[in-house]
DNA sequence: GTGGTCTAGACCACC
DNA sequence: GTGGTCTAGACCACA
């Protein structure tokens, strides 16, 4: 599991960290039930504050990606990630909307946009190769 | 041209305003060369701060969507919006990436994701209907 | 609005703060749409750290009691508090269960238990008296 | 006597264990003078740490539910559980208070709240049925 | 002015 | 060892 953070980015570190972990789950590099590093060790690894890691973990817990046990530490939700419901699809749509609008303005047609999406699906949906 | 702002959203007002204007351009409700309201009048219209409108306009200018003339006021870029280059496609990809990753985790397959995209393209690419 | 905290208590300060605010809402001392103090001013008032106040606010926001606007500050949810659903009733039951069990052991019968409850309902459900 | 622990709960294991034992006493599945498993065997049974069971037992002893003899082992208090005094009623009230306050906010009226309580009394006060 | 983010360092409860 | 809580102090984005 590699974590790549951009400390210059406008995107908060804890959000980047969340995305990286979600991506790890999507790629199945992180499997349901699998343990994640403790807040302290991950913070030390990445070279950030443990509170920042904790914030990412708390949010991921909130969204059902992980479970946090007081002693055992942090694990990927063993029951799998909560499946998309209507609320999620709406949220997705609202996040996609400005991307589509700007792309239209810039002359990116639907096929090109879908190609980018498809490539991402192919890259991220691949199972871990050992 | 309707501006819909959600003051309770986590997204900054100026960003929402940018998105709305970009969407207006995508829908061709706002055509190249067409005038936009002045900072002052738009702010009064929506009931927000001058600075907020100004920030949105400055950013839109920065990205080539509009031109700001000291005298003539604000117009949609008459030469059209700068077309997508490689940098834009990379940016798009990086914004799409976490959406795709989370969707995979939540069991949204590529076809469903593309369907949402296609619907948005259909909705936003339509010319203005009066 | 009076906030009474017990710094010696085993109960975390942020939880106590949450309870006090919820109680204020129940008493209708805090009405929907009404503003709450900023994190900084409340923290200064009570003499605790602003992060502790923030944690309480974030949790209350999460549970639908309040809304947090980046600039305008914090307000009691103008649409009212999310009404009890089945999940809440189950949660309530699970919290009540050990209280009932111990009370049974200690010879508190149902009528006495209900009397305590009824008194609390009477005390907390009263509208603010000016 | 069944012990049901939720290792994913926010509530500490030793507290859950205490509650289960108190509930057993309330249900009269555990009668005054009856022996409880030794710390060692109970820990092995449930698959938790010795210290955890010990902590639960010590606390139960502290509150008068059980007696711990060095030789004879652990027994439910043969003289019965100390009956509720004013201090207990105050404690009960303070624990009930936030539950009532939140319930009021969420539109649970006194009758509904009392119904939940009554059901719990009925369920827990029943003698053991074999 | 507001909340959001991040850091650094402390103590505690739990197992 | 784990996460949970609390403090203190800093800078930033937003309006």
């Amino acid at each position: 599991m590699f974590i790549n953070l951009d400390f210059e980015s406008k995107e908060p570190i804890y959000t980047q960290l969340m995305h990286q972990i979600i991506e790890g789950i999507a790629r199945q590099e992180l499997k349901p039930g699998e343990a994640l590093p403790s807040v302290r060790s991950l913070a030390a690894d990445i070279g950030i504050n443990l509170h920042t890691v904790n914030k990412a973990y708390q949010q991921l817990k909130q969204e059902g990606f992980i479970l946090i046990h007081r002693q055992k530490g942090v694990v990927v939700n063993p029951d799998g990630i909560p499946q998309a419901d209507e609320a999620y699809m709406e949220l997705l749509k609202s996040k996609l909307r400005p991307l589509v609008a700007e792309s239209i303005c810039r002359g990116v047609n639907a096929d090109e946009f879908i190609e980018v999406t498809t490539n991402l699906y192919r890259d991220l949906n691949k199972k871990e190769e050992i």
Side-chain angles (χ1 to χ4, degrees), chain A:
Chain A
M1 177 85 205
F2 303 106
I3 300 288
N4 264 316
L5 300 180
D6 174 5
F7 292 95
E8 310 303 318
S9 166
K10 183 188 163 184
E11 193 180 23
I13 295 178
Y14 82 95
T15 311
Q16 294 184 47
L17 184 49
M18 285 177 62
H19 288 163
Q20 295 272 320
I21 292 172
I22 291 174
E23 202 176 307
I25 297 174
R27 285 182 191 279
Q28 301 190 27
E29 290 167 19
L30 295 171
K31 300 201 171 59
E34 186 170 340
L36 266 61
S38 75
V39 281
R40 279 173 179 76
S41 69
L42 183 52
D45 261 28
I46 314 181
I48 60 176
N49 192 280
L50 87 174
H51 290 118
T52 307
V53 175
N54 192 47
K55 185 162 187 176
Y57 276 1
Q58 289 297 335
Q59 192 108 12
L60 287 169
K61 168 191 161 194
Q62 179 60 36
E63 298 179 12
F65 287 95
I66 63 174
L67 298 181
I68 302 180
H69 299 80
R70 266 181 211 252
Q71 328 316 339
K72 289 196 295 178
V74 180
V75 298
V76 179
N77 193 331
D79 303 328
I81 312 308
Q83 295 299 288
D85 54 6
E86 204 167 323
Y88 177 72
M89 294 311 282
E90 275 309 309
L91 184 66
L92 176 61
K93 193 174 162 184
S94 74
K95 286 180 181 165
L96 231 27
R97 192 182 185 93
L99 298 184
V100 169
E102 179 163 1
S103 294
I104 290 173
C105 293
R106 295 198 185 279
V108 179
N109 66 36
D111 286 345
E112 292 170 298
F113 195 103
I114 287 171
E115 193 193 336
V116 176
T117 305
T118 308
N119 288 343
L120 281 168
Y121 254 93
R122 201 193 50 231
D123 292 349
L124 295 175
N125 209 3
K126 234 185 317 193
K127 306 211 175 195
E128 186 184 12
E129 288 139 14
I130 307 176

